[in-house]
Amino acid sequence: MPPLTMKRENSVISAENEPMVRITRSRAAAPEKSTLARCAELPKPRGQKHSLQINSNTAVLRERKKNAPLVEKKFRTVLKDVTNLCCKSLNGDGLNAAKVSKKIMRVGNSSLNLSKVTTSVNAEVHQFPTKLPPRSSINQSCSDRKFHEQQQGNPTEIKRFSRQFEKALHDAAPLTSTKLDLIDIDSDQKDPQQCSQYALEIYNNFRVVELMKRPQSNFMETLQRDITQSMRGILVDWLVEVSEEYKLVPDALYLAIHFIDLFLSQNYVERPKLQLLGITCMLIASKYEEIRPLHVEECCFITDNTYTKSEVLAMESLVLKFLGFQLSVPTAKTFLRRFLRAAHASYKNPSLELECLANYLAELTLVAYDFLKFLPSAIAASSVFLARWTLDQSIHPWNPTLEHYTYYKARDLKTTVVALQGLQLNTENCPLNAIRAKYRQDKFKSVACLSSPKLLETLFQT
């Protein structure tokens, strides 16, 4: 049978099976109503229960109003019973807690003994330490276990790290009226970017993380044989120029150099692969810090196509696997923001020159391999100390507010500040001048041209 004939017969059959509906004036006025809507208005066949239909009948509305309070009252009663049950169980005059703990709660096909659960939870609560665990147990839980194993043989380093760890976990009490010489830098909670409510806890956590994720300070002497300190300095100086050329944020530069030092601390790298490691770490850091990071093709172009795209991607995979994809690390720049905020608290107007000079001094330490032995927080605090001393010798560069928020006293920073002043004055005549040329620009207030006077011994007696 031709298809057209089948369609015609099907339409005839459907028309015959369509129930007849009495045409009224309302149906005649709306002839375009769909078949589905017409079927909804058809009377139910005999033998089936009639469902309650919604209409505008006055009797139906009256019946609905009569039943509405009953439904609402039943819902409230259930809530009231639950509330009373909880309150009675808490007060002790309702359900017996001992009876509840012995009951068995079934979940699906399995059963859960509430008494065992209660006992186990109470045991865990009682076993939770009220004091902080020793540093050895914390180090064992760190992902960087190699670092801990290498540090076990140096008791002096362990003691020094323990003191810094305890100081980092020091719970700074909120400022009270008795501390009149301190300035609360977290009192302004209008700016959401300052995170004033959580800043103290955030930076206390940073002080712990900087101890756990820091590179070795002697990897050139113990592990690396094909590269030297001067080669590392040349690489860092070149990365400073790259960050300036592509206008990367300073955090990307700090993070890239941290990745390089961390990788060199535990992996042997040959001389031809050092630049590949450097540009790959810059690529990873830019992906983490920048909105528009570097492209792999740009990394190849920067190195004058010394390395191919596949080599950069292979090194990126190797570095990320080594880091365990844990890229969040506090650097000196991280702490410098907080410490500069504390330094500006004593000024009526923020000093842009102080900020530029402190950033300049902190960036100088990136090139120097010897500064790996100092913590990033100590470098940031020393940069603020030396910057204040360089700009104004009439007042002491350290005050109670800085001591309170940095957890460092002036005498704790003596070694770092003296070494930092050597970099500022370029006492070793370092030929790497990318950072100095950067901060000679007018937009940085030409702070690289400033020099600090001799440090007095009395500055570090407090």
Side-chain angles (χ1 to χ4, degrees), residues 4 74 90 110 121 131 167 198 228-229 237-238 251 291 298 311 314 332 335-336 342 345 354 377 380-381 400:
L4 181 60
K74 184 178 179 180
L90 291 175
S110 61
V121 171
K131 296 182 180 180
K167 186 184 298 183
Y198 317 105
T228 60
Q229 299 181 22
D237 192 76
W238 175 70
D251 301 79
I291 298 177
E298 291 176 324
E311 289 178 321
F335 293 102
L336 195 58
L354 173 64
S377 59

Side-chain angles (χ1 to χ4, degrees), residues 229-230 233-234 237 364 367-369 422-436 440:
Q229 299 181 22
S230 60
I234 294 172
D237 192 76
L364 284 177
V367 183
Y369 168 79
L423 286 180
Q424 182 190 22
L425 302 178
N426 198 12
T427 55
E428 298 181 1
N429 296 320
C430 179
L432 305 175
N433 294 319
I435 298 176
R436 301 181 191 277
R440 286 195 188 100

Side-chain angles (χ1 to χ4, degrees), residues 170-215:
H170 171 64
D171 189 10
L175 300 181
T176 59
S177 58
T178 57
K179 301 178 180 180
L180 299 178
D181 50 351
L182 297 180
I183 302 175
D184 188 1
I185 65 175
D186 297 324
S187 59
D188 184 14
Q189 299 182 0
K190 295 181 180 180
D191 188 1
Q193 293 184 351
Q194 299 298 334
C195 301
S196 300
Q197 294 178 337
Y198 317 105
L200 183 62
E201 289 78 7
I202 290 173
Y203 279 90
N204 281 343
N205 181 64
F206 283 159
R207 296 297 297 271
V208 178
V209 176
E210 72 170 344
L211 295 169
M212 297 162 55
K213 297 182 179 180
R214 60 176 308 192

Side-chain angles (χ1 to χ4, degrees), residues 411-457:
R411 59 175 176 267
D412 301 330
L413 302 174
K414 179 179 179 180
T415 305
T416 315
V417 172
V418 172
L420 188 58
Q421 189 184 42
L423 286 180
Q424 182 190 22
L425 302 178
N426 198 12
T427 55
E428 298 181 1
N429 296 320
C430 179
L432 305 175
N433 294 319
I435 298 176
R436 301 181 191 277
K438 171 183 174 181
Y439 281 91
R440 286 195 188 100
Q441 303 177 51
D442 294 336
K443 64 178 181 180
F444 295 113
K445 300 295 181 182
S446 303
V447 293
C449 302
L450 301 176
S451 61
S452 59
K454 182 180 179 181
L455 292 167
L456 303 178
E457 195 67 27

Side-chain angles (χ1 to χ4, degrees), residues 316-452:
E316 181 184 22
S317 177
L318 185 63
V319 174
L320 288 174
K321 288 180 180 178
F322 167 75
L323 297 174
F325 291 87
Q326 298 180 5
L327 308 181
S328 180
V329 179
T331 61
K333 181 65 176 178
T334 307
F335 293 102
L336 195 58
R337 289 192 179 92
R338 176 75 168 172
F339 298 165
L340 280 173
R341 184 173 174 83
H344 283 147
S346 58
Y347 296 111
K348 293 182 179 180
N349 297 318
S351 175
L352 182 59
E353 195 172 13
L354 173 64
E355 183 175 349
C356 293
L357 183 56
N359 281 286
Y360 165 64
L361 295 174
E363 283 192 28
L364 284 177
T365 63
L366 297 176
V367 183
Y369 168 79
D370 295 335
F371 272 79
L372 289 177
K373 60 185 177 183
F374 300 116
L375 289 171
S377 59
I379 293 176
S382 301
S383 300
V384 176
F385 187 104
L386 187 57
R388 286 171 60 91
W389 172 250
T390 302
L391 296 176
D392 189 3
Q393 297 87 39
S394 61
I395 59 174
H396 198 285
W398 216 237
N399 54 40
T401 302
L402 284 167
E403 181 179 331
H404 176 80
Y405 286 103
T406 62
Y407 299 158
Y408 287 109
K409 295 183 178 180
R411 59 175 176 267
D412 301 330
L413 302 174
K414 179 179 179 180
T415 305
T416 315
V417 172
V418 172
L420 188 58
Q421 189 184 42
L423 286 180
Q424 182 190 22
L425 302 178
N426 198 12
T427 55
E428 298 181 1
N429 296 320
C430 179
L432 305 175
N433 294 319
I435 298 176
R436 301 181 191 277
K438 171 183 174 181
Y439 281 91
R440 286 195 188 100
Q441 303 177 51
D442 294 336
K443 64 178 181 180
F444 295 113
K445 300 295 181 182
S446 303
V447 293
C449 302
L450 301 176
S451 61
S452 59

Side-chain angles (χ1 to χ4, degrees), residues 116-300:
K116 293 182 179 180
V117 173
T118 306
T119 306
S120 61
V121 171
N122 292 336
E124 291 179 4
V125 171
H126 288 299
Q127 290 177 1
F128 189 82
T130 55
K131 296 182 180 180
L132 289 173
R135 176 165 174 75
S136 58
S137 63
I138 295 178
N139 280 340
Q140 290 294 342
S141 63
C142 300
S143 59
D144 193 5
R145 295 184 182 275
K146 294 183 180 180
F147 169 73
H148 173 65
E149 293 172 358
Q150 295 176 2
Q151 289 293 338
Q152 282 182 343
N154 194 341
T156 306
E157 285 291 315
I158 294 176
K159 290 180 180 179
R160 184 168 66 86
F161 290 160
S162 299
R163 289 195 299 268
Q164 294 287 349
F165 184 79
E166 293 173 0
K167 186 184 298 183
L169 286 180
H170 171 64
D171 189 10
L175 300 181
T176 59
S177 58
T178 57
K179 301 178 180 180
L180 299 178
D181 50 351
L182 297 180
I183 302 175
D184 188 1
I185 65 175
D186 297 324
S187 59
D188 184 14
Q189 299 182 0
K190 295 181 180 180
D191 188 1
Q193 293 184 351
Q194 299 298 334
C195 301
S196 300
Q197 294 178 337
Y198 317 105
L200 183 62
E201 289 78 7
I202 290 173
Y203 279 90
N204 281 343
N205 181 64
F206 283 159
R207 296 297 297 271
V208 178
V209 176
E210 72 170 344
L211 295 169
M212 297 162 55
K213 297 182 179 180
R214 60 176 308 192
Q216 294 289 325
S217 59
N218 58 346
F219 60 82
M220 286 294 182
E221 296 80 9
T222 58
L223 181 60
Q224 303 301 329
R225 293 288 183 268
D226 201 24
I227 59 177
T228 60
Q229 299 181 22
S230 60
M231 293 179 185
R232 176 195 173 275
I234 294 172
L235 175 65
V236 174
D237 192 76
W238 175 70
L239 290 177
V240 173
E241 295 180 351
V242 171
S243 64
E244 280 293 290
E245 180 69 23
Y246 286 88
K247 295 180 173 57
L248 302 179
V249 294
D251 301 79
L253 176 64
Y254 280 86
L255 198 60
I257 297 172
H258 175 81
F259 292 158
I260 293 171
D261 293 330
L262 203 60
F263 190 86
L264 293 177
S265 297
Q266 301 180 20
N267 298 275
Y268 176 76
V269 177
E270 297 179 351
R271 186 179 305 180
K273 299 295 183 181
L274 182 60
Q275 189 180 13
L276 175 62
L277 174 64
I279 195 60
T280 303
C281 290
M282 181 63 80
L283 172 65
I284 297 172
S286 67
K287 287 182 178 180
Y288 186 80
E289 294 288 351
E290 293 284 348
I291 298 177
R292 296 180 180 178
L294 294 174
H295 296 285
V296 181
E297 294 79 8
E298 291 176 324
C299 295
C300 299

